[in-house]
Amino acid sequence: MTLINVLRGRVLSYGTNSTHCRYGRLPSIQQLRAYGVGKIPQSLLEAPVDRIRNVGIAAHIDAGKTTTTERMLFTAGVTRYSGLVDRGDTVMDYMDQERARGITITAAAISFPWNEHRINFVDTPGHVDFTMEVERSMRVLDGAIAVYDAVKGIQAQSVTVWRQAQRYDVPCIAFINKMDRPRASATRTLAHMDSKLNITPLVLQMPVGVGSNFTGVVDLLDLHITTWPGDISSVEFQRQDLTKLPGKEELLQKAITARQEMFEQLAEMDETFMEHYFSVGGEASQVDMEQALAGIRRTTITRAGLPVLYGSALKNRGVEPVLDSIIKYLPCPTDLIKNTVPDYAQDFCAFVFKITHDPVRGALVFMRVYSGELKAGAEVYNLNRNCVECAQRVILISADEYNELPSIGAGNIAVAVGMKQAVTGDTLLSTSTLGDRVMASTGSGKHRDKKAARQVADEPNDSLAKLPGMKVPEPVFFCTVEVTSAAHQPALERGLQCLCREDPSLRVSTGDDQETIVSGMGELHIEIIKDRLLKEYKVNATLGPLQVAYRETLLSPCRHIVEKKLPSGGRNYNITLELELSRTPGDQLSDAAEKSLVNLTHAKTSELNALLTGDLAEARLQALRQGLEDAAESVGPLLSFPIRCVDARIVKLVCKPYIPNDLLALTAQLCFQEAMQLAEITLLEPIMSMQIVVPPEHFTTVLGDLTGPRRGMVEGIVEDEVDGTVLTGFAPLDTLRGYSSLIRRQTSGLASYSMTFSHYTPVPKDLQKQIIASMTYNSGDVI
């Protein structure tokens, strides 16, 4: 019997044995179009919220995220062939830079149907330089697939993306990939989940074989075995009842034991299932499957455990169960009511999480719609920018293909065309009066200060009127960028402006000599920016030497007082302000190093209590804080780097009660700047967390180099019977430039390493003098 399965976009053939399924292709492109392959059926475009899944995929670089995504699209019928990263023909890696390097650089979104549901799917980068793409994606997702390499286990960036998912309470499902590779080990990867991720794995499958013998998985819920031939051009698979297969008694006994352990673990994770499990006497054979599925779903959504699946994406093994698990275990938009404003009810409210530029359509504004509906041509109010914008068109995007829609409803991820002001982190509403009503009801007041509005919402706003923003990492490298002719400068400025709007982790500033300075997350990040300037904006830019983006902070506490007479509104105001400044406690400054002013307090005197308590206290303290932060962001006295990790205490403040808040901010800024010029300052350097896998015969060489000229510190050394020696530790970023080439030479290409930003720490005094002399010599006034 043969039937057309339109939803999955394949010809589905059933033989005489109903347990054998084979998917073949429709014979012509005309038939493909007739049956809607690659398009979402109209019924699913209007799917109810409970049939929508907003899901991403994230992991360490080369773990197989994009390959897994390509197999999902092929299995779901979106594509007619399976793209390969090495071949440069994947759907999701559509940028020239991605296909040339074989890595994902920007998060790409696509929507596709599966099992009468619509999956809005986001493929994220795994390289540390593009961690901002993962951050912005996690902010709007309801679930994620965490892909892990069965050979290498859980690597550094996998831990980073796990923490990002934790930050936004994103439920995850683990897919242990590359089970067909030599040295693959499911046991080691499961142990890493417990030790590195601090999460208990809930194993839902048992792999059949490992390495070259890996052919399929046993579903522990129903004891069915699924096997795949491993042909990437086919999604053929065979699913059979393991209890009825002759010659599989040993495999069946292992599966029954694993099934019992799975239910016992699930009972520990979910109290409701525990009651059911004990009511049937703890017998796995008596467990109701509906109760088990509901328990796994609750465990996943509450992040009490991590469901684990196995497969080999390259050979199309294990992809269908991942898609099924997305529907069964990950939440729909209404299951997780997070980061939303209840006062908006059915009115339109959306969060902007990404901007890209299309040469024809202009700025594409990616948004997650939390409530209401956005219609094409409708005007929306940007609460952060305090302006009205028009969504000329609404698009459902599939990588680099666009499908226009008349409207998009709550729970969806979509794109609007025509918005001129919106940037990452903005809250969009149906009308300005709606925002005013909600702000009035929450007591937050109106935000009308355009100057104070940040281009990127880098930390959550405590006002319930705005949707919380996201964490934007600090740049760690910078360099100058120049063009060959002054005639090309406007094009350079326009290109950088567009790229900064797209990428909040990219910063552009102007130095003392009016040179343009670009700051980014790493060498590859800045290299990609240069390449995009050339290919997308036709600007042939020249980059100066890449330099580390240090920070500056106080070495010892200081105290300073200023007396100012400042004009405002035709009147002069006398202000006296005395500040006591000190460095934030702690030698390892991680989160604190991303903030210029960490704490602001004031002495408990009668004069200060009169000015800084009462109805106007919050506004005055905010004005003083803003002035201090503006001063710290401008220039430091050593090398003009931003000042970080400062605690401020107001010792004295003398002024009229009705003084304008902007004068308070200006006075605080001047006091801070003068204090920094007189204080003892030190540099803070970025420290990277490293994991190096090295063969035993080269271990001594690598260790000596790391702890010697790299100024590294070893955190742990683990002997692995498969990988050799795994060394973890920390080293300053300044010493790691070109480290990839060096370690390949030292180990004849046998070692590998990964690194992520960890924290800032003060630079040793003798080295600080060398850094100042070197940077002054190389670039004059650095910034």
Side-chain angles (χ1 to χ4, degrees):
M1 176 176 74
T2 300
L3 60 91
I4 301 295
N5 187 335
V6 177
L7 178 64
R8 298 176 72 168
R10 295 284 186 266
V11 177
L12 178 58
S13 301
Y14 291 100
T16 55
N17 179 2
S18 62
T19 62
H20 184 81
C21 302
R22 178 177 60 81
Y23 289 91
R25 297 184 190 152
L26 293 169
S28 69
I29 189 64
Q30 287 76 18
Q31 287 174 295
L32 284 167
R33 288 173 177 165
Y35 288 103
V37 176
K39 298 180 180 179
I40 298 177
Q42 185 64 31
S43 60
L44 285 184
L45 285 176
E46 303 169 357
V49 178
D50 62 348
R51 289 187 176 272
I52 295 174
R53 299 291 184 271
N54 296 311
V55 180
I57 189 167
H60 191 89
I61 189 171
D62 290 334
K65 299 178 304 303
T66 301
T67 301
T68 303
T69 304
E70 292 296 316
R71 301 302 175 267
M72 287 181 177
L73 299 180
F74 179 60
T75 303
V78 179
T79 58
R80 295 192 295 119
Y81 67 94
S82 290
L84 290 175
V85 175
D86 294 339
R87 207 164 55 198
D89 59 354
T90 58
V91 173
M92 304 304 282
D93 287 348
Y94 59 88
M95 293 175 61
D96 293 339
Q97 294 83 3
E98 292 176 314
R99 292 182 171 178
R101 292 168 174 81
I103 63 171
T104 302
I105 292 172
T106 183
I110 191 168
S111 297
F112 61 89
W114 183 260
N115 195 19
E116 298 183 354
H117 288 69
R118 175 147 59 86
I119 299 177
N120 298 322
F121 200 83
V122 179
D123 181 22
T124 65
H127 196 285
V128 63
D129 283 14
F130 309 105
T131 188
M132 181 62 210
E133 293 294 315
V134 183
E135 188 80 20
R136 70 191 345 167
S137 300
M138 289 296 179
R139 168 59 182 80
V140 298
L141 294 176
D142 297 320
I145 304 298
V147 180
Y148 302 118
D149 190 325
V151 178
K152 298 178 181 178
I154 295 179
Q155 299 165 277
Q157 191 64 11
S158 294
V159 177
T160 300
V161 299
W162 176 258
R163 290 171 182 164
Q164 290 173 311
Q166 276 186 314
R167 185 178 299 126
Y168 300 106
D169 295 322
V170 178
C172 295
I173 293 174
F175 178 57
I176 299 181
N177 191 27
K178 302 185 181 182
M179 286 295 296
D180 62 319
R181 298 287 184 89
R183 302 189 302 166
S185 172
T187 304
R188 181 176 63 233
T189 308
L190 293 175
H192 283 179
M193 291 179 185
D194 192 29
S195 61
K196 295 184 177 182
L197 305 183
N198 195 28
I199 187 73
T200 303
L202 180 63
V203 181
L204 304 182
Q205 296 176 338
M206 185 179 74
V208 180
V210 68
S212 59
N213 296 321
F214 175 73
T215 57
V217 295
V218 176
D219 188 334
L220 298 180
L221 282 171
D222 58 11
L223 293 178
H224 276 61
I225 180 173
T226 306
T227 56
W228 293 268
D231 180 7
I232 67 171
S233 63
S234 169
V235 284
E236 180 181 340
F237 68 91
Q238 189 170 9
R239 180 175 170 82
Q240 299 170 292
D241 189 342
L242 187 58
T243 62
K244 298 178 181 179
L245 288 180
K248 299 290 185 179
E249 291 76 13
E250 183 179 354
L251 181 63
L252 175 61
Q253 190 56 47
K254 289 182 179 179
I256 291 174
T257 303
R259 188 173 191 251
Q260 185 75 36
E261 294 175 354
M262 178 193 69
F263 284 141
E264 290 174 358
Q265 272 193 324
L266 183 58
E268 294 177 359
M269 296 172 178
D270 184 75
E271 291 185 5
T272 304
F273 179 78
M274 179 188 293
E275 294 176 1
H276 169 72
Y277 188 61
F278 287 157
S279 70
V280 297
E283 290 292 332
S285 59
Q286 302 300 315
V287 170
D288 180 72
M289 285 300 100
E290 292 299 322
Q291 291 280 352
L293 289 170
I296 296 172
R297 181 178 173 83
R298 286 191 298 269
T299 298
T300 306
I301 292 175
T302 59
R303 293 177 60 89
L306 180 62
V308 177
L309 306 172
Y310 298 100
S312 169
L314 182 64
K315 295 185 178 179
N316 263 357
R317 295 174 182 171
V319 175
E320 292 91 346
V322 175
L323 287 166
D324 291 336
S325 296
I326 290 174
I327 305 302
K328 290 189 290 187
Y329 306 134
L330 291 180
C332 68
T334 54
D335 289 331
L336 289 179
I337 306 299
K338 60 178 183 177
N339 300 327
T340 57
V341 184
D343 301 67
Y344 290 138
Q346 299 302 313
D347 293 303
F348 172 71
C349 175
F351 179 81
V352 177
F353 71 96
K354 182 179 173 69
I355 307 286
T356 63
H357 285 84
D358 181 81
V360 176
R361 297 172 177 84
L364 305 178
V365 179
F366 287 71
M367 66 181 71
R368 165 71 189 269
V369 181
Y370 282 104
S371 64
E373 181 183 53
L374 176 65
K375 295 182 179 180
E379 290 187 341
V380 297
Y381 175 67
N382 189 323
L383 188 60
N384 297 67
R385 307 297 117 200
N386 184 28
C387 66
V388 175
E389 301 199 68
C390 180
Q392 297 172 356
R393 284 176 288 176
V394 177
I395 291 174
L396 194 65
I397 201 163
S398 297
D400 60 344
E401 295 184 2
Y402 310 97
N403 302 297
E404 291 192 21
L405 300 175
S407 63
I408 198 75
N412 281 287
I413 293 176
V415 176
V417 179
M419 296 186 180
K420 306 297 183 183
Q421 303 296 324
V423 296
T424 300
D426 283 356
T427 298
L428 304 178
L429 304 176
S430 53
T431 63
S432 60
T433 55
L434 175 64
D436 291 341
R437 174 172 61 81
V438 173
M439 286 189 285
S441 66
T442 58
S444 59
K446 296 183 180 181
H447 175 67
R448 291 292 183 267
D449 185 0
K450 295 183 180 180
K451 183 178 180 181
R454 295 177 179 268
Q455 183 172 353
V456 177
D458 56 358
E459 57 181 295
N461 193 310
D462 57 2
S463 168
L464 290 179
K466 295 179 184 176
L467 298 177
M470 62 189 73
K471 181 180 178 181
V472 180
E474 289 276 322
V476 294
F477 276 117
F478 74 93
C479 67
T480 58
V481 55
E482 299 176 349
V483 287
T484 55
S485 170
H488 298 153
Q489 187 66 27
L492 173 66
E493 293 175 356
R494 178 183 174 278
L496 289 175
Q497 182 182 18
C498 291
L499 292 174
C500 282
R501 190 181 178 195
E502 292 184 13
D503 184 0
S505 63
L506 175 68
R507 313 287 173 84
V508 177
S509 57
T510 303
D512 291 341
D513 295 331
Q514 299 304 307
E515 73 274 24
T516 302
I517 297 172
V518 175
S519 303
M521 297 304 300
E523 296 177 76
L524 181 59
H525 186 198
I526 293 179
E527 181 185 335
I528 294 297
I529 294 300
K530 177 186 176 182
D531 194 45
R532 291 190 63 188
L533 282 172
L534 177 61
K535 292 186 176 180
E536 297 176 24
Y537 299 96
K538 312 304 178 187
V539 178
N540 189 9
T542 302
L543 300 182
L546 204 62
Q547 302 187 62
V548 173
Y550 295 95
R551 301 292 181 264
E552 300 183 21
T553 192
L554 285 169
L555 190 60
S556 57
C558 69
R559 194 162 174 167
H560 188 66
I561 186 171
V562 295
E563 296 180 358
K564 299 293 180 182
K565 186 175 183 179
L566 302 174
S568 178
R571 300 180 59 182
N572 291 323
Y573 295 87
N574 294 312
I575 308 173
T576 300
L577 175 64
E578 184 176 4
L579 292 176
E580 186 177 80
L581 305 174
S582 61
R583 195 175 84 193
T584 303
D587 292 330
Q588 293 187 355
L589 307 170
S590 52
D591 290 339
E594 297 180 1
K595 299 178 181 178
S596 51
L597 183 69
V598 180
N599 297 306
L600 176 62
T601 58
H602 62 85
K604 304 302 181 181
T605 64
S606 58
E607 292 85 356
L608 284 174
N609 288 337
L611 287 169
L612 300 179
T613 57
D615 296 337
L616 300 178
E618 183 179 351
R620 286 172 179 159
L621 284 171
Q622 181 59 34
L624 291 167
R625 173 183 286 275
Q626 188 64 52
L628 294 173
E629 290 181 348
D630 288 345
E633 286 293 335
S634 54
V635 291
L638 283 182
L639 288 172
S640 300
F641 288 111
I643 297 171
R644 292 289 184 265
C645 310
V646 174
D647 290 347
R649 181 171 178 264
I650 302 171
V651 179
K652 183 179 181 181
L653 176 61
V654 179
C655 62
K656 296 293 184 181
Y658 48 81
I659 187 171
N661 286 336
D662 59 341
L663 295 188
L664 288 176
L666 179 58
T667 304
Q669 182 176 354
L670 295 173
C671 185
F672 187 92
Q673 290 174 338
E674 292 179 13
M676 289 297 106
Q677 294 296 330
L678 301 173
E680 193 175 3
I681 305 296
T682 186
L683 288 178
L684 294 173
E685 63 178 342
I687 303 296
M688 309 302 287
S689 173
M690 302 186 67
Q691 182 184 73
I692 305 173
V693 181
V694 57
E697 61 269 22
H698 298 291
F699 173 73
T700 304
T701 302
V702 172
L703 178 63
D705 177 73
L706 181 66
T707 57
R710 310 289 151 206
R711 296 192 287 121
M713 181 181 68
V714 176
E715 183 183 38
I717 300 173
V718 178
E719 297 294 335
D720 189 286
E721 60 182 10
V722 176
D723 291 331
T725 304
V726 181
L727 188 155
T728 57
F730 304 93
L733 177 62
D734 185 43
T735 67
L736 297 176
R737 285 183 281 190
Y739 189 66
S740 178
S741 300
L742 176 68
I743 198 172
R744 282 199 300 267
R745 291 197 304 269
Q746 288 178 335
T747 63
S748 301
L750 299 177
S752 63
Y753 86 101
S754 59
M755 65 178 182
T756 58
F757 171 76
S758 175
H759 59 272
Y760 280 89
T761 193
V763 175
K765 197 167 186 178
D766 56 341
L767 183 61
Q768 179 172 300
K769 294 179 181 178
Q770 297 178 23
I771 293 173
I772 293 174
S774 173
M775 297 187 75
T776 304
Y777 173 77
N778 287 333
S779 55
D781 294 326
V782 177
I783 294 181

